Amino acid sequence: MGYSDKVIEHFRNPKNMGKMENPDGVGTVGNPVCGDMMKIYIKVEDGKIVDAKIETFGCVAAIATSSMTTEMAIGMTIEEAKELSRQEVAEALDGLPPQKMHCSNLAADALHKAIEDYESRQT
Amino acid sequence: MAYFDHANSSPVDERVIQAMLPYFREFYGTAGLELGHSKDIAALTGLEEARKTVAKSLNADPRAIVFTSGVTESNNMAIRGVAVANKGSGRHIITTPIETQSVLQSCKRLEGAGYEISMLDVDEYGLIDLNQLKKTIRDDTILISVQHANGEIGTIQPVEEIAEIAVKKDIMFHTDATHTYMRVPIDTESFKANLISFDAHRIHGPKGIGVLYIRRKTRIHRVLEGGDEERRLRPGIENIPAAVGMAKAIEIWEPNENEHVLNLRKYLEKKLKESLTGFTITGHPENRAPHIFSMVVDHVEGESMLVHLDMLGYSISTGSACSSKTLRGSHVLRAIGLPPEVSHGSVRVSFSRYNTETEIDGFVEELCGTVERLREFSPLTSGVYFANEEEDNHHHDLPEDDW
Ligand code: FES
């Protein structure tokens, strides 16, 4: 079926889209099967994500989950952000059509990769 | 605001609706008996007049016209019906990878039943190579099925030449003319296809009615079992109101209509060249269905373009993987060699008598705005395309239908 109003709202007015100068961590996920791609940038202070930006090449759900994932991630501790799952993102968007669940997976994966990148820079 | 998805389906013309109404209200009989009661006779007359109109549009005998429920059924009947009727002389079928699903899936089904299917190659425009076709023909080839025009990229195949090749070898030739019927002249006196599929809802007729033209002496069996309707080739009570509607849609087709949509297409091309950057027209530049424009736009994904444009009141379509249920993307765009990140940006705009240049002006403006907006945050704009090396299963964890 169609997208929820929340999804459309985030698609219409996506938050935190674009590049970031001097990020503390960057995560890129791409899907070799269908070609979607996301690149997320995070800024971390005192173990907390204080800013996030994301670039997305993908469908409406991918753009909306990008927007929602970054919104949710900002303000979270690194540990909390590691736990952020696609279900939570999808729920926050009042659900996604079943065939679009994988898009929210991409955004969460990208975030987790950015955290990995951040952590690897700390040592 | 404008509807630009006529290759998908078109609005039913009011005159068609008016022509159909009496067949719901007054002439609700069936066409089974020539000596039935007056309700049946009226229905039969309507149906047979409709058949004559369809036949005339192809310069064919009315007996060659079999009404079906649409192109899907016509294609199934053509392919599976010919396969069954000819299995004594062979089990080899030739087709192309850019056919519509009803052709491809019919072939696949036959493959499972011991038939052999050869897929011809298509070039970047989607065109087949006649030499390859000739080389692919074998003694046991019974059927060639090649579409007239492609629904996604508009490319017209050299079907007249294919028909000649097939006739010489006494092989049945089927063509799916969904996207050319009424738009590109088809004269069955000179064009020797055995079987031609088309339907009504793309020419401002109703849904649920199609035709399989069957040339005399074509070796074909029915695929549905039942009564004597449609010369026993397609049993089941005919959809008489829809057949009458289809005939009306044909009758009201104006001679200048195809020129009108062709001009609109050229106008759109010109406008886009003036104002949009980073796009490539797909399909053959000249040899194409007049009403189908198609392109790929760099760095943006089709479903997000489609939804964004829809919010602005414009209906288009895309072959992007993201917009398909299976997330596999268009088999046509894959077959013409486009990698997924490119076919993601596909857009099809298809016109009808109702569209105007003013609509195109508005559309181009909104399209450019949409593309610009989506490109702003596309990671591809900076030129790097990244795909995970490891096998990624996101697109395979599709949920079961929860019915
Ligand atoms: S990004 Fe391809 S389906 Fe969502």
Side-chain angles (χ1 to χ4, degrees):
Chain A
M1 280 292 99
Y3 287 116
S4 71
D5 292 346
K6 256 276 171 54
V7 171
I8 291 296
E9 195 183 300
H10 274 266
F11 172 65
R12 218 190 263 267
N13 262 318
K15 304 281 168 1
N16 310 313
M17 303 302 287
K19 277 196 185 30
M20 181 192 283
E21 298 295 325
N22 306 320
D24 296 321
V26 181
T28 307
V29 291
N31 191 313
V33 184
C34 98
D36 313 322
M37 184 177 160
M38 284 184 194
K39 189 169 185 181
I40 195 164
Y41 307 80
I42 52 170
K43 236 195 179 42
V44 184
E45 271 168 32
D46 303 329
K48 249 190 177 165
I49 297 178
V50 292
D51 198 9
K53 285 262 189 248
I54 187 161
E55 292 178 291
T56 300
F57 168 62
C59 70
V60 172
I63 292 169
T65 52
S66 297
S67 167
M68 185 50 97
T69 305
T70 49
E71 259 203 338
M72 291 172 85
I74 295 173
M76 280 185 171
T77 64
I78 288 292
E79 295 313 314
E80 285 165 347
K82 277 185 187 168
E83 300 295 310
L84 185 61
S85 70
R86 68 166 172 175
Q87 274 80 10
E88 285 170 79
V89 177
E91 271 163 35
L93 286 166
D94 293 341
L96 283 171
Q99 75 270 29
K100 293 292 185 179
M101 283 304 289
H102 76 100
C103 309
S104 53
N105 213 352
L106 284 179
D109 283 0
L111 176 66
H112 299 151
K113 279 204 175 173
I115 293 171
E116 256 174 52
D117 180 46
Y118 162 74
E119 286 181 335
S120 74
R121 292 187 196 191
Q122 303 314 301
T123 48
Chain B
M1 282 237 310
Y3 181 78
F4 289 135
D5 202 12
H6 294 92
N8 181 39
S9 195
S10 63
V12 182
D13 193 291
E14 190 51 39
R15 291 165 287 181
V16 169
I17 298 174
Q18 289 307 324
M20 289 171 71
L21 288 177
Y23 288 85
F24 293 109
R25 294 182 176 137
E26 295 156 56
F27 314 134
Y28 40 72
T30 64
L33 298 172
E34 239 164 279
L35 298 173
H37 51 64
S38 56
K39 296 289 182 200
D40 280 356
I41 291 169
L44 175 67
T45 310
L47 180 70
E48 292 313 314
E49 285 307 313
R51 197 186 309 281
K52 279 185 205 156
T53 304
V54 176
K56 206 171 129 221
S57 73
L58 300 169
N59 194 15
D61 189 291
R63 285 169 294 183
I65 305 303
V66 171
F67 285 111
T68 66
S69 60
V71 159
T72 293
E73 190 188 336
S74 299
N75 286 343
N76 268 270
M77 185 173 160
I79 291 166
R80 292 161 60 195
V82 165
V84 172
N86 293 270
K87 64 169 183 264
S89 35
R91 288 175 173 242
H92 181 232
I93 295 169
I94 301 174
T95 187
T96 83
I98 62 170
E99 298 300 312
T100 192
Q101 289 300 341
S102 51
V103 169
L104 293 176
Q105 297 305 327
S106 295
C107 288
K108 203 168 170 194
R109 169 107 177 239
L110 288 170
E111 208 167 24
Y115 288 78
E116 210 181 310
I117 313 293
S118 294
M119 288 282 173
L120 297 172
D121 297 326
V122 293
D123 67 12
E124 57 180 315
Y125 300 129
L127 277 178
I128 65 150
D129 171 5
L130 291 171
N131 285 324
Q132 192 200 18
L133 170 65
K134 284 183 201 152
K135 281 186 212 139
T136 310
I137 292 174
R138 314 190 311 212
D139 288 344
D140 61 341
T141 306
I142 51 171
L143 173 68
I144 299 170
S145 178
V146 177
Q147 64 194 185
H148 196 182
N150 185 272
E152 287 180 48
I153 56 172
T155 301
I156 293 180
Q157 300 290 349
V159 286
E160 282 89 1
E161 286 89 334
I162 301 172
E164 272 167 34
I165 294 169
V167 166
K168 264 190 215 135
K169 302 268 184 181
D170 194 27
I171 297 167
M172 300 291 123
F173 174 46
H174 164 249
T175 191
D176 173 355
T178 307
H179 299 285
T180 48
Y181 180 61
M182 295 306 287
R183 305 178 190 277
V184 175
I186 299 175
D187 180 341
T188 54
E189 279 298 315
S190 50
F191 172 42
K192 298 291 185 195
N194 294 88
L195 301 137
I196 307 175
S197 307
F198 52 94
D199 62 19
H201 75 99
R202 291 177 177 92
I203 55 162
H204 309 293
K207 292 176 179 61
I209 187 86
V211 163
L212 182 61
Y213 158 86
I214 307 179
R215 178 179 295 278
R216 204 168 153 248
K217 298 212 169 126
T218 295
R219 298 180 295 273
I220 186 168
H221 277 180
R222 63 176 173 272
V223 294
L224 291 177
E225 297 303 333
D228 294 336
E229 294 87 356
E230 298 298 297
R231 301 197 347 275
R232 308 199 69 193
L233 278 164
R234 201 281 190 176
I237 301 299
E238 291 94 343
N239 188 346
I240 297 169
V244 169
M246 181 173 197
K248 191 67 184 177
I250 295 166
E251 274 166 27
I252 61 175
W253 197 267
E254 303 273 354
N256 63 358
E257 216 156 303
N258 298 328
E259 204 184 305
H260 173 67
V261 292
L262 178 65
N263 288 339
L264 291 177
R265 201 186 86 214
K266 299 258 158 161
Y267 184 72
L268 173 63
E269 271 178 39
K270 190 183 112 224
K271 286 295 249 180
L272 285 175
K273 279 180 187 148
E274 284 165 12
S275 35
L276 184 67
T277 56
F279 73 96
T280 314
I281 293 176
T282 49
H284 200 278
E286 299 300 327
N287 268 341
R288 56 189 302 147
H291 62 307
I292 299 179
F293 171 85
S294 59
M295 65 174 171
V296 284
V297 182
D298 296 349
H299 307 150
V300 286
E301 188 280 319
E303 192 218 57
S304 44
M305 274 190 276
L306 181 147
V307 173
H308 201 263
L309 285 164
D310 186 50
M311 298 191 306
L312 299 164
Y314 293 94
S315 314
I316 53 133
S317 71
T318 174
S320 165
C322 300
S323 83
S324 64
K325 266 217 172 113
T326 55
L327 298 170
R328 262 189 230 110
S330 153
H331 65 291
V332 175
L333 301 177
R334 212 178 312 136
I336 63 170
L338 298 184
E341 73 273 20
V342 175
S343 68
H344 257 57
S346 76
V347 167
R348 179 187 69 182
V349 181
S350 47
F351 301 109
S352 82
R353 62 173 72 125
Y354 301 117
N355 295 126
T356 64
E357 288 191 356
T358 319
E359 287 178 342
I360 294 178
D361 290 340
F363 170 68
V364 170
E365 204 182 307
E366 299 292 15
L367 174 71
C368 290
T370 300
V371 168
E372 202 179 309
R373 202 172 154 258
L374 295 171
R375 272 184 188 156
E376 254 167 43
F377 52 74
S378 166
L380 303 190
T381 314
S382 45
V384 234
Y385 176 68
F386 170 95
N388 278 351
E389 290 301 318
E390 74 255 34
E391 186 46 40
D392 186 320
N393 288 323
H394 290 158
H395 282 64
H396 304 302
D397 60 358
L398 290 179
E400 304 273 325
D401 263 348
D402 43 348
W403 182 67

